[in-house]
PDB file of all heavy atoms in Angstrom:
ATOM      1  N   GLY N 310     -19.396 -21.275  21.098  1.00 87.00           N
ATOM      2  CA  GLY N 310     -20.452 -20.413  20.554  1.00 87.00           C
ATOM      3  C   GLY N 310     -21.538 -20.229  21.644  1.00 87.00           C
ATOM      4  O   GLY N 310     -22.602 -19.683  21.229  1.00 87.00           O
ATOM      5  N   LYS N 313     -19.562 -17.249  25.801  1.00 93.00           N
ATOM      6  CA  LYS N 313     -18.610 -16.908  26.928  1.00 93.00           C
ATOM      7  C   LYS N 313     -17.779 -15.659  26.575  1.00 93.00           C
ATOM      8  O   LYS N 313     -17.706 -14.729  27.324  1.00 93.00           O
ATOM      9  CB  LYS N 313     -17.742 -18.121  27.155  1.00 93.00           C
ATOM     10  CG  LYS N 313     -18.495 -19.397  27.470  1.00 93.00           C
ATOM     11  CD  LYS N 313     -17.553 -20.537  27.698  1.00 93.00           C
ATOM     12  CE  LYS N 313     -16.754 -20.953  26.502  1.00 93.00           C
ATOM     13  NZ  LYS N 313     -17.539 -21.527  25.370  1.00 93.00           N
ATOM     14  N   SER N 314     -17.202 -15.771  25.395  1.00 93.00           N
ATOM     15  CA  SER N 314     -16.318 -14.620  24.987  1.00 93.00           C
ATOM     16  C   SER N 314     -17.172 -13.352  24.843  1.00 93.00           C
ATOM     17  O   SER N 314     -16.661 -12.266  25.193  1.00 93.00           O
ATOM     18  CB  SER N 314     -15.573 -14.920  23.722  1.00 93.00           C
ATOM     19  OG  SER N 314     -14.814 -16.098  23.826  1.00 93.00           O
ATOM     20  N   THR N 315     -18.291 -13.479  24.300  1.00 94.00           N
ATOM     21  CA  THR N 315     -19.091 -12.276  24.147  1.00 94.00           C
ATOM     22  C   THR N 315     -19.415 -11.637  25.560  1.00 94.00           C
ATOM     23  O   THR N 315     -19.290 -10.404  25.722  1.00 94.00           O
ATOM     24  CB  THR N 315     -20.467 -12.650  23.472  1.00 94.00           C
ATOM     25  OG1 THR N 315     -20.198 -13.307  22.279  1.00 94.00           O
ATOM     26  CG2 THR N 315     -21.292 -11.428  23.169  1.00 94.00           C
ATOM     27  N   GLN N 356      -9.190 -14.423  24.192  1.00 84.00           N
ATOM     28  CA  GLN N 356      -9.065 -15.804  23.695  1.00 84.00           C
ATOM     29  C   GLN N 356      -8.096 -15.868  22.549  1.00 84.00           C
ATOM     30  O   GLN N 356      -7.277 -16.698  22.439  1.00 84.00           O
ATOM     31  CB  GLN N 356     -10.495 -16.278  23.289  1.00 84.00           C
ATOM     32  CG  GLN N 356     -10.452 -17.648  22.621  1.00 84.00           C
ATOM     33  CD  GLN N 356     -11.848 -18.132  22.296  1.00 84.00           C
ATOM     34  OE1 GLN N 356     -12.766 -17.332  22.362  1.00 84.00           O
ATOM     35  NE2 GLN N 356     -12.000 -19.428  22.126  1.00 84.00           N
ATOM     36  N   ASP N 436      -9.710 -15.843  29.199  1.00 92.00           N
ATOM     37  CA  ASP N 436     -10.527 -16.551  28.242  1.00 92.00           C
ATOM     38  C   ASP N 436      -9.649 -17.576  27.603  1.00 92.00           C
ATOM     39  O   ASP N 436      -8.773 -17.339  26.755  1.00 92.00           O
ATOM     40  CB  ASP N 436     -11.023 -15.584  27.178  1.00 92.00           C
ATOM     41  CG  ASP N 436     -12.160 -16.196  26.335  1.00 92.00           C
ATOM     42  OD1 ASP N 436     -12.368 -17.440  26.419  1.00 92.00           O
ATOM     43  OD2 ASP N 436     -12.810 -15.542  25.506  1.00 92.00           O
ATOM     44  N   GLU N 437      -9.758 -18.843  28.028  1.00 89.00           N
ATOM     45  CA  GLU N 437      -8.892 -19.952  27.582  1.00 89.00           C
ATOM     46  C   GLU N 437      -7.398 -19.595  27.591  1.00 89.00           C
ATOM     47  O   GLU N 437      -6.745 -19.686  26.552  1.00 89.00           O
ATOM     48  CB  GLU N 437      -9.368 -20.357  26.127  1.00 89.00           C
ATOM     49  CG  GLU N 437     -10.775 -20.737  26.150  1.00 89.00           C
ATOM     50  CD  GLU N 437     -11.228 -21.520  24.847  1.00 89.00           C
ATOM     51  OE1 GLU N 437     -10.390 -22.170  24.247  1.00 89.00           O
ATOM     52  OE2 GLU N 437     -12.359 -21.354  24.463  1.00 89.00           O
ATOM     53  N   ILE N 467     -12.211 -19.017  31.860  1.00 94.00           N
ATOM     54  CA  ILE N 467     -12.913 -19.858  30.842  1.00 94.00           C
ATOM     55  C   ILE N 467     -12.007 -20.858  30.307  1.00 94.00           C
ATOM     56  O   ILE N 467     -10.780 -20.604  30.041  1.00 94.00           O
ATOM     57  CB  ILE N 467     -13.313 -18.905  29.665  1.00 94.00           C
ATOM     58  CG1 ILE N 467     -14.272 -17.820  30.186  1.00 94.00           C
ATOM     59  CG2 ILE N 467     -13.978 -19.690  28.540  1.00 94.00           C
ATOM     60  CD1 ILE N 467     -14.648 -16.775  29.090  1.00 94.00           C
ATOM     61  N   HIS N 469     -11.965 -25.030  28.234  1.00 88.00           N
ATOM     62  CA  HIS N 469     -12.629 -26.251  27.895  1.00 88.00           C
ATOM     63  C   HIS N 469     -12.070 -27.497  28.475  1.00 88.00           C
ATOM     64  O   HIS N 469     -12.471 -28.632  28.227  1.00 88.00           O
ATOM     65  CB  HIS N 469     -12.670 -26.390  26.286  1.00 88.00           C
ATOM     66  CG  HIS N 469     -13.488 -25.405  25.650  1.00 88.00           C
ATOM     67  ND1 HIS N 469     -14.869 -25.407  25.804  1.00 88.00           N
ATOM     68  CD2 HIS N 469     -13.196 -24.371  24.845  1.00 88.00           C
ATOM     69  CE1 HIS N 469     -15.426 -24.443  25.162  1.00 88.00           C
ATOM     70  NE2 HIS N 469     -14.365 -23.710  24.528  1.00 88.00           N
ATOM     71  N   SER N 677     -17.189 -18.291  16.850  1.00 86.00           N
ATOM     72  CA  SER N 677     -16.525 -18.397  18.096  1.00 86.00           C
ATOM     73  C   SER N 677     -15.304 -19.210  17.850  1.00 86.00           C
ATOM     74  O   SER N 677     -15.094 -19.887  16.815  1.00 86.00           O
ATOM     75  CB  SER N 677     -17.463 -19.152  19.043  1.00 86.00           C
ATOM     76  OG  SER N 677     -17.430 -20.539  18.797  1.00 86.00           O
ATOM     77  N   GLY N 678     -14.337 -19.036  18.798  1.00 82.00           N
ATOM     78  CA  GLY N 678     -13.001 -19.659  18.658  1.00 82.00           C
ATOM     79  C   GLY N 678     -13.036 -21.158  18.246  1.00 82.00           C
ATOM     80  O   GLY N 678     -12.351 -21.559  17.303  1.00 82.00           O
ATOM     81  N   GLY N 679     -13.847 -21.918  18.948  1.00 84.00           N
ATOM     82  CA  GLY N 679     -13.840 -23.308  18.704  1.00 84.00           C
ATOM     83  C   GLY N 679     -14.347 -23.674  17.360  1.00 84.00           C
ATOM     84  O   GLY N 679     -13.882 -24.561  16.675  1.00 84.00           O
TER      85      GLY N 679
HETATM   86 MG1   MG Q1211     -14.653 -17.839  23.139  1.00 50.33          MG
END
Side-chain angles (χ1 to χ4, degrees):
Chain N
K313 305 179 294 294
S314 299
T315 306
Q356 178 174 14
D436 195 351
E437 301 193 31
I467 299 177
H469 288 296
S677 78

